[in-house]
Amino acid sequence: MIKTKDTLILVFVIALIFVIGLTSYFIYNIQNKYSKPSYSENYIEIKTRYLYGFVSDSLMLRTEYRLTKTENNSTIGYNYISETDVSRNFKITYNLKIETLIFDIGAEYEISKFKVLSDLDGNWFDSYMMIEPIIDGVGPILFNKDYGALAFTNAHSPSVFFISEKDNLLFVKQIEEKLYQ
């Protein structure tokens, strides 16, 4: 009889541990399902971008970039990774609340006008200028929060264009005409 009693106690303890473990598992899953974190982050891989650099209407640079877009509640981060030279990598952060661009070097740009240019996919690009202008020839930046940067213009150094299609120089010329008219 002692063996039967000990066996029943052992079965009861195992069943109790199983029930406690199962209850904890369900509570944990319910909490994860219905809790909303205050900071959520999503990684989105975007298509390859082709950079075209021009100096005085002469094509000086053509290279390929990979763009990774990171979104959270208040900002979108754009990480441009050069396929050929890591020293050309750069990051841009777009602040959703105040609609400004912040570069990893600390410069901030704000919207100066809306809907400057549309690409072949129907993306409209806004023009951004520095919040505190510095006399260095930096012109407008064309940007769309879904697409990322389209063009960086500069009167004293190369103008740079990030195109989604390879060898689309016609679109690059259209951007230049729109910016420099």
Side-chain angles (χ1 to χ4, degrees):
M1 194 119 188
I2 294 175
K3 289 184 178 182
T4 308
K5 185 177 179 184
D6 290 341
T7 305
L8 288 175
I9 291 173
L10 181 63
V11 169
F12 177 76
V13 169
I14 291 173
L16 183 62
I17 291 171
F18 177 76
V19 168
I20 291 171
L22 192 60
T23 303
S24 298
Y25 174 76
F26 283 121
I27 289 172
Y28 176 77
N29 280 342
I30 289 171
Q31 284 177 340
N32 281 342
K33 183 177 181 180
Y34 293 105
S35 69
K36 296 201 178 199
S38 60
Y39 177 80
S40 62
E41 193 170 311
N42 301 314
Y43 293 93
I44 303 169
E45 188 72 26
I46 304 297
K47 293 181 181 180
T48 300
R49 298 290 189 242
Y50 300 96
L51 176 134
Y52 294 87
F54 285 87
V55 177
S56 302
D57 292 333
S58 297
L59 180 62
M60 300 302 285
L61 177 66
R62 182 168 45 186
T63 188
E64 191 173 312
Y65 275 77
R66 186 176 68 247
L67 170 62
T68 304
K69 186 169 109 175
T70 307
E71 297 184 49
N72 64 44
N73 295 338
S74 60
T75 62
I76 303 173
Y78 304 86
N79 189 12
Y80 290 84
I81 302 165
S82 172
E83 295 293 334
T84 57
D85 184 358
V86 295
S87 68
R88 293 183 178 150
N89 295 353
F90 67 97
K91 295 178 184 178
I92 302 172
T93 303
Y94 178 72
N95 186 315
L96 294 165
K97 294 177 184 172
I98 57 175
E99 296 183 321
T100 57
L101 294 176
I102 303 165
F103 286 79
D104 58 351
I105 56 173
E108 290 187 29
Y109 293 76
E110 64 184 0
I111 295 175
S112 58
K113 54 186 169 181
F114 293 96
K115 296 186 180 174
V116 174
L117 179 75
S118 175
D119 67 3
L120 300 173
D121 297 327
N123 295 311
W124 282 97
F125 293 89
D126 299 329
S127 174
Y128 288 75
M129 296 294 286
M130 289 189 83
I131 291 175
E132 295 180 23
I134 299 171
I135 311 288
D136 66 353
V138 175
I141 295 171
L142 294 184
F143 178 83
N144 173 302
K145 70 179 183 177
D146 296 321
Y147 182 94
L150 176 65
F152 296 90
T153 59
N154 193 321
H156 303 300
S157 64
S159 294
V160 178
F161 305 91
F162 286 95
I163 309 300
S164 59
E165 297 176 8
K166 192 172 186 173
D167 299 325
N168 192 352
L169 290 174
L170 179 63
F171 185 53
V172 171
K173 292 297 180 190
Q174 290 173 346
I175 298 168
E176 282 186 312
E177 288 174 9
K178 185 70 175 176
L179 290 174
Y180 298 118
Q181 55 172 302

